[in-house]
Amino acid sequence: DTEVTQTPKHLVMGMTNKKSLKCEQHMGHRAMYWYKQKAKKPPELMFVYSYEKLSINESVPSRFSPECPNSSLLNLHLHALQPEDSALYLCASSQVGLNNYGYTFGSGTRLTVV
Amino acid sequence: SQQGEEDPQALSIQEGENATMNCSYKTSINNLQWYRQNSGRGLVHLILIRSNEREKHSGRLRVTLDTSKKSSSLLITASRAADTASYFCAPGRGSARQLTFGSGTQLTVLP
């Protein structure tokens, strides 16, 4: 299995809702990432997990809450989002090391906040 | 973290022509990676070149790296309509797991 699977593919949520994005990989990668991408912009790094521990939080608002329950799963819990949080959310994974490995990305979750 | 800056921002060519995209970055790197993104989809890793390499090939892709000029180029030969996508470079630095992406080059290959 050489894929990163993200669910759901599309999500519409209200500003008072709580939802979660899910990401799964079975490549044995021990580093996993969340990126946010707005239209016609490059992906922006949000969180990095290394060996299931949060190692980098790029000053992301607390309405985004990541969780890594095991080495194959990465979740992003969403609560009280704003319309400007509408974007494509991408999950990626890689081997841990001297950063000499490419990342494998999922196809993303298209999030719309209404 | 650091990011690359791609040039040009947009490139339109005819099928069969070669496409060249450039990337510049600011600080020392361990490697430089190139990714492709089709509209609204995830990124696909194309090629990684290490800081001690000058050139690397993969199929129709050729990547060069000039660490003295802090620049890299991606050449796609004999382009196809299916190569239409955004291309991003991503400088990788040491063990820091903060891969960031430049603004990208939007390549359009016309049939």
Side-chain angles (χ1 to χ4, degrees):
Chain A
D1 190 351
T2 58
E3 288 187 346
V4 172
T5 303
Q6 288 189 245
T7 54
K9 292 196 184 310
H10 300 274
L11 178 62
V12 179
M13 61 184 290
M15 288 188 284
T16 58
N17 291 161
K18 284 186 181 180
K19 295 286 184 185
S20 296
L21 309 185
K22 183 177 175 181
C23 173
E24 192 167 3
Q25 58 89 16
H26 296 285
M27 294 175 282
H29 290 171
R30 302 303 294 275
M32 296 186 77
Y33 315 84
W34 281 114
Y35 283 83
K36 172 183 177 180
Q37 186 177 27
K38 303 282 275 185
K40 299 193 183 302
K41 297 289 187 183
E44 295 176 1
L45 182 65
M46 299 174 73
F47 301 105
V48 179
Y49 273 83
S50 181
Y51 294 106
E52 296 85 68
K53 286 185 172 33
L54 182 65
S55 60
I56 295 172
N57 175 341
E58 292 282 12
S59 303
V60 179
S62 60
R63 56 185 185 269
F64 295 91
S65 175
E67 178 196 21
C68 191
N70 60 56
S71 60
S72 299
L73 281 176
L74 185 66
N75 299 319
L76 186 62
H77 303 297
L78 313 172
H79 173 54
L81 294 193
Q82 303 296 310
E84 58 265 28
D85 296 320
S86 298
L88 180 66
Y89 288 83
L90 295 163
C91 174
S93 70
S94 75
Q95 297 184 48
V96 178
L98 289 176
N99 209 22
N100 271 332
Y101 305 101
Y103 289 19
T104 302
F105 279 83
S107 295
T109 294
R110 175 74 61 187
L111 174 68
T112 303
V113 181
V114 297
Chain B
S1 64
Q2 65 164 345
Q3 63 189 60
E5 290 299 326
E6 286 90 346
D7 171 62
Q9 291 189 343
L11 180 61
S12 185
I13 59 174
Q14 294 293 135
E15 205 164 27
E17 294 180 339
N18 295 342
T20 299
M21 290 158 262
N22 302 298
C23 170
S24 59
Y25 56 92
K26 293 192 174 119
T27 63
S28 62
I29 60 171
N30 201 52
N31 65 67
L32 190 135
Q33 305 178 34
W34 285 90
Y35 289 80
R36 182 188 77 227
Q37 185 178 33
N38 292 90
S39 181
R41 303 296 302 273
L43 280 74
V44 174
H45 180 251
L46 295 176
I47 197 164
L48 180 152
I49 186 166
R50 292 183 170 80
S51 59
N52 60 353
E53 297 175 310
R54 292 295 166 258
E55 187 171 314
K56 199 163 181 180
H57 296 255
S58 177
R60 293 184 296 113
L61 306 180
R62 172 179 168 253
V63 168
T64 62
L65 179 65
D66 186 335
T67 52
S68 66
K69 294 181 179 178
K70 293 187 169 56
S71 67
S72 173
S73 68
L74 170 67
L75 168 68
I76 304 173
T77 60
S79 63
R80 305 165 182 168
D83 295 327
T84 295
S86 293
Y87 291 82
F88 296 95
C89 72
R93 184 164 54 93
S95 60
R97 306 221 63 80
Q98 289 175 279
L99 198 67
T100 55
F101 297 87
S103 53
T105 293
Q106 173 61 51
L107 173 66
T108 302
V109 181
L110 303 169

